[in-house]
Amino acid sequence: MAAICAALVVSCTSGNGDSGRREPADARQFDLLVSEQNGYYYHPFLRQEPAGPQAQSYALRTLSELGRDPRTGMAEERVASFRREALEASPLWGREWLLPLWRTGAREALGAGDAADVNRLRTAGGWYVDPALGDDGDAARLGATWAALEVLDALGRLPELPAADRAATVSWLRATAGRVRALDQAGALARSLHLLKEPVPAPLTRIAVPRTDDFADLTPETRAVRLDDTYSYVLLQEAAGKRPAVDRRIWEPVLRDGAATLPYEQLHNLVHILKAAGSPDSAFAPVLKRLDGERLDDGTVRDPDAYLGSPDASLFVQRLRALAGWSREDPALLTALRREETSGEASQEGPERLNRAALRTVTEGGGDASGPARQLCADPRVLPATVTETNATPWQRTALTCADAGVTTGVPEIGRWRADTPERVVAAATVVVGLADSGRRDAVPSWIDAETLKRWALHPDRFTSVYGYALVVRAYALLGGRLDAALREALGRGVTPYEGCPGLPGLYRVGGGDEACDLKTTWSVWTLDRQLDGAMGWLPAGATKHGK
């Protein structure tokens, strides 16, 4: 289990970089994109992806417990994907995770055959077995049985359990109660008996509430265990029809300080504990604020803690900082880079190695290119030696990365194609931009000219992305095109409306029906505005004077 943040740890929101360095508010928006998984920055389009089945389950349960009536409207394809992911993780707990989605509108998450599938995992001894657990001890049996009964109860199929089967399960649970000592097992056993409408054995109910007087002295790991134990204690007492004796004075500050950062499962458990303890509604306001802020258009929630950062996304963050004139000093990013490279798990593919080399160069402050970076940029398998309309984009991206790594690259052999479709025009513009970013602006082939690009630059509606359109205008400007009234008006239609998304006001959206914010698109827009001397106002305030 992940360590609990906020009050249960020191902090989970320190972000990257030097906390003592003052930065503009626009610069600090990148802190939102620091991955809790590996410390790199992640691509913001991930924020349009819902949390996975398990985290989603706990977030929706929390909303329900707090009196909300969450409704979801996921597309059938997304529901099917969630179901596959959940059942691959566990045929029992996976179905239990799907229950909140099923209850809130995603009826395809569970179907008529699920009850039969669950019952096939029942043994003659009365307990259920989850093949995903790989364990057949009491703890595994109790957890699997609890999950199975929750699913059968929700689907209305528990009353159909044959009397002999029900009796076997109850008999096994009662026999197991005498061996149970751990609170998580006691909670699962009590909840299972409750679902079967059976009383909880009195000895179980006399298990003491977990201590809180030593809470300040616990390690992060033992605080997490203490939360789990307290949640199990509450489930046990509720199943027995008793009021849990929980100390609100300890747990309410934990919720207050951790509402914005706790993983969804721990957030749910803490909310459940405090609801059972009688905490006032005001104590849960920060939780609702967080969950409301993470809701997507289809009613599900995102989970930034699950997003995996990458050197590629981190490199784009550093490019944007350079364009805006902000410091690229970022000790935490270097730590993430060193951690990956010493883990033994870093990809050894050429493009990934080059990304890491470039990221180190720009974050450490430049200097001579490393030998590996020079070798990679001279390798035609990494940086194509011949550019065509089909590989112009990967060539340009790699050439830009080589420039970031401090490597001077040669001029590739450039093919020729007709700039008569939006895709071909973007490919031609990409050649111009790639050569300019590599310091070889003089090498643009004569068949790509400003007059041809202008006919497209005035019609942003022909392009399916802001990124592609901005590249075309940038290439037009590099070849001598002027920002006249007609082009300014076209840019106002083709770029300006796509600025900003929740939490990231200075970034730009993909366009073409895609509302996700995108680092690459933002780089294209900011670089264009830089070429236009800040005439469009797309760069952050003050960037035109100090940016590079």
Side-chain angles (χ1 to χ4, degrees), residues 170-337:
V170 171
S171 177
W172 171 74
L173 288 169
R174 294 199 174 283
T176 305
R179 301 192 299 270
V180 164
R181 295 294 181 268
L183 265 165
D184 60 338
Q185 295 178 39
L189 193 153
R191 179 64 186 166
S192 296
L193 286 171
H194 177 74
L195 289 166
L196 292 167
K197 303 187 184 321
E198 292 288 327
V200 176
L204 280 185
T205 67
R206 291 195 287 270
I207 294 178
V209 62
R211 294 174 57 189
T212 52
D213 60 303
D214 62 342
F215 194 81
D217 300 323
L218 299 178
T219 65
E221 291 75 18
T222 52
R223 290 178 183 180
V225 172
R226 191 64 55 84
L227 173 63
D228 281 349
D229 284 347
T230 304
Y231 175 66
S232 296
Y233 163 81
V234 168
L235 290 182
L236 191 165
Q237 298 300 327
E238 289 177 327
K242 298 179 179 294
R243 182 182 177 88
V246 174
D247 189 348
R248 288 169 40 195
R249 295 171 300 174
I250 293 294
W251 292 111
E252 283 182 2
V254 173
L255 180 64
R256 182 183 63 242
D257 295 340
T261 53
L262 285 169
Y264 287 145
E265 180 177 356
Q266 294 169 347
L267 186 69
H268 166 266
N269 293 353
L270 188 49
V271 166
H272 190 91
I273 289 168
L274 288 172
K275 289 289 287 186
S279 291
D281 290 345
S282 58
F284 305 107
V287 177
L288 289 172
K289 179 180 179 181
R290 173 189 174 180
L291 293 177
D292 286 343
E294 299 294 1
R295 296 294 292 278
L296 297 170
D297 290 343
D298 64 3
T300 59
V301 298
R302 61 171 68 86
D303 183 15
D305 287 348
Y307 300 153
L308 193 65
S310 67
D312 175 66
S314 301
L315 195 51
F316 267 111
V317 167
Q318 295 293 57
R319 289 167 181 157
L320 293 172
R321 284 171 168 163
L323 281 168
W326 300 327
S327 171
R328 292 191 288 190
E329 180 185 356
D330 198 330
L333 183 53
L334 288 173
T335 297
L337 181 59

Side-chain angles (χ1 to χ4, degrees), residues 368-377 407:
D368 294 334
S370 67
R374 286 193 294 270
Q375 291 174 357
L376 288 166
C377 292
V407 179

Side-chain angles (χ1 to χ4, degrees), residues 461-473:
D461 53 296
R462 295 179 179 176
F463 298 91
T464 58
S465 73
V466 174
Y467 173 78
Y469 173 62
L471 281 187
V472 170
V473 180

Side-chain angles (χ1 to χ4, degrees), residues 20 87 109 203 233 246 263 394 481 514 521 532:
L87 298 190
Y233 163 81
V246 174
D514 189 338
T521 300
L532 300 176

Side-chain angles (χ1 to χ4, degrees), residues 526-544:
W526 285 14
T527 308
L528 172 58
D529 201 29
R530 166 74 54 219
Q531 283 183 213
L532 300 176
D533 296 322
M536 298 304 298
W538 297 328
L539 282 160
T544 54

